[in-house]
Amino acid sequence: MKYGLIKVAAAIPGVRVADVDYNVQQIENLIAQAEGKGAEVIVFPELSVTGYTCQDLFRQQLLLEKAEEAIIKLLDFTRKLDIISVVGVPVRIGPLLYNCAVVVQGGTILGVVPKTYLPNYCEFYEKRWFASAADLMPQDIYLAGSLIHVSAEPIVFRTCDGVGFGIEICEDVWAPLPPSNNLALAGADIILNLSATDELLGKHNYLCSLLAQQSARMMCGYVYSSCGFGESTQDVVYGGNAMIFENGRQLATGDRFSLEPQLQIQQIDVERLRGERQNNTTFRTAQDGATARVVYAKSVNARPFELVRPVNPHPFIPEDGQMTSSCEEILNIQTMGLCRRLHHTHCDKAVIGISGGLDSTLALLVVVRAFDKLGLSRKGIIGITMPGFGTTDRTHDNAVSLMTSLGISQREISIAKSVTQHFEDIGHDAAVHDVTYENSQARERTQILMDVANQVGGMVIGTGDLSELALGWCTYNGDHMSMYGVNGGVPKTLVQYLIRYLAQLPAFAEQRDVLIDVIETPISPELTPADEQGNIQQKTEDLVGPYELHDFFLYYMLRWGFRPSKIFMLAQHAFEGKYDDETICHWLQTFCRRFFNQQFKRSCLPDGPKVGSVSLSPRGDWRMPSDAFSTLWQKECEALER
């Protein structure tokens, strides 16, 4: 394991019912393939050594003895392999027969886990042949020449890297209290399920939902392998399911109803899972009383690291299949938050600065939706353009066009004269375009908005977004301040996406062209003069870096608590071919430095709605001292650069 990632495999071998020699050969073939591809754990279907559908053949001594001989063969085959293999075998313990998972590594049996819940309804008759783990008296047995302790006690197996995994068998996960509940609470990061689920209309979708929910509820990885082609079709059909889940998300799935063996390999991020559990106080409380015996696997040789799981370069952007529902959900959260604040304060006026940029455009559209929802006149929305030294015709015209077409009240108040007077008052040379030059304009605009709000009995709506707050790219007590910030939980990449989504709606057909141009306009605070052709000269991403990189860093640092080296590795894969290593490393350093240095601005944010899994509100998700040092993070970034 490296970067907290462990490579796991779900295998579905070819099978011949009761032909143990053939089945073991198929299992060995897939173990060899998985070992060659760097898998550290592989799980096979329920009773994979004999076949699940042997029925009364499970009472035949020959079959049971051959099954034990098969374990001996697997021990010999795996003697020089590092991979941990989990196979399904019928095991005699005393006078009873148990449906078991046998865990094998490096020629050694690490443990035996019997099935707890035996289905005995509809097409299932397992109690005819097998006893439940609940019937098992703790004892030592010889299995394949090895002395093994067996009991109903839960077992958490731990790899040499400390990754814990537990095992349940088929019906166990369908039970009201699955064994995986206790296993996960007792420290299992991953659950392996050896299964034999038959195919019925609608059952597969239910199964996927069940496994996704269980992995989400227990905040674990879940590796599922169910028998397929080759099992008897006397009464039912087995389609073969090789699936891997992580905290509610499906990472891999095989080709159901395939006639060929299947091998699904994927990486599970154990660091991510542990971070989620660490932050979840409910999980911590539920752990009380959860116990399991711990069995340690053998040490293995280190292998070259290769990332095989995909990395989304834009983690805040909804997936295509969820685009409409996700965008509506986000916009409704923003709208409802503002509706509640307006209703609570008996306010029917909203004052908002309109620059023609992304953030103010989205905020204005949210305010319009809120006023429409409350049945208030759009004339109660006072949009103010405040041209300054860097305002361009493009952004100004877009702002005016947008306000006109939306039917809100408009005011234009130039800040040039008042800021020039302010420069004289404080003795600042207007030819020096430094931070004083820029921030004086931002604070003047905020003063105008606040004073107009007093004038009309209204509320100033903040437009700053989550990405700007993370970087501190806002003027303290300037655009940093408002009476309600509707965009405070929305990162810049998502702002662009939401505006593009709104532009496609019939309700904003009249504004479509303007909205698209707003998206295509370079991001800029427009606080320094334009060039000779009147184009924007001060481009934010030239100064602080690409927002798509910063949003990527923000997501993995705050949502999952990843260290810079892991974020860098993920960014390398996510942005391969777009940004080189030097560029990624440079802006990662910038992000870490600015994120720490600018916390004081986030410590006194105005109220605003949380819309996603990452928030910087000091009253909610993120509580950080303003005086924390970024030394550790900066040193790791510098090491990457070297």
Side-chain angles (χ1 to χ4, degrees), residues 587-601:
W587 292 123
L588 180 57
Q589 282 185 289
T590 298
F591 176 84
C592 291
R593 174 177 53 80
R594 293 192 65 98
F595 186 81
F596 275 80
N597 292 349
Q598 302 295 311
Q599 172 61 29
F600 72 96
K601 296 179 182 178

Side-chain angles (χ1 to χ4, degrees), residues 261-279:
Q262 297 184 54
L263 183 63
Q264 289 296 314
I265 297 177
Q266 190 50 267
Q267 286 166 321
I268 290 176
D269 194 332
V270 175
E271 276 187 0
R272 178 187 287 216
L273 296 171
R274 289 176 177 173
E276 193 80 338
R277 289 178 175 182
Q278 179 182 326
N279 293 334

